[in-house]
Amino acid sequence: MTDYRVRIAAKIQAILSGREDAPPAVKALQDYIWETVDVSSPSIADERLRELAHDLDFFQPDSAKRLGEPSLYGQNELIPHLEAALADLTALS
């Protein structure tokens, strides 16, 4: 696994374990992915990371702000997104 993928996996694990406060950690993870993963990379693992970064645009921890916005999701839906990305990253690297 490349260095940046190891760092991304560690960031995902920190969010999943609750060691990091989800909203700022999710934003930091998303920013890190956009900054480090080459958008032209043909790697399936990198493609999956770019998809995760895009999906994180729809994470909204405040349930009041999600009302009437079916595309937004909260903490309960965040966990499966992160678990799937971590599993893909591990399997594809």
Side-chain angles (χ1 to χ4, degrees):
M1 194 180 303
T2 63
D3 286 347
Y4 69 88
R5 289 184 191 151
V6 169
R7 284 189 214 100
I8 290 169
K11 289 174 184 292
I12 292 171
Q13 290 169 334
I15 295 168
L16 290 172
S17 71
R19 291 189 317 251
E20 298 282 339
D21 184 32
V26 165
K27 178 68 175 138
L29 170 64
Q30 185 183 39
D31 290 346
Y32 185 77
I33 292 170
W34 287 131
E35 291 168 6
T36 58
V37 178
D38 183 355
V39 295
S40 63
S41 170
S43 163
I44 294 171
D46 287 348
E47 180 180 334
R48 179 65 185 103
L49 289 172
R50 290 189 301 269
E51 289 171 1
L52 174 63
H54 176 266
D55 290 347
L56 293 176
D57 279 339
F58 301 97
F59 172 62
Q60 174 50 256
D62 185 340
S63 60
K65 292 180 180 178
R66 288 194 311 269
L67 288 176
E69 294 292 336
S71 63
L72 300 179
Y73 61 89
Q75 186 75 24
N76 290 340
E77 295 84 5
L78 173 66
I79 292 169
H81 277 284
L82 295 177
E83 289 173 337
L86 186 59
D88 287 349
L89 188 57
T90 302
L92 295 170
S93 293

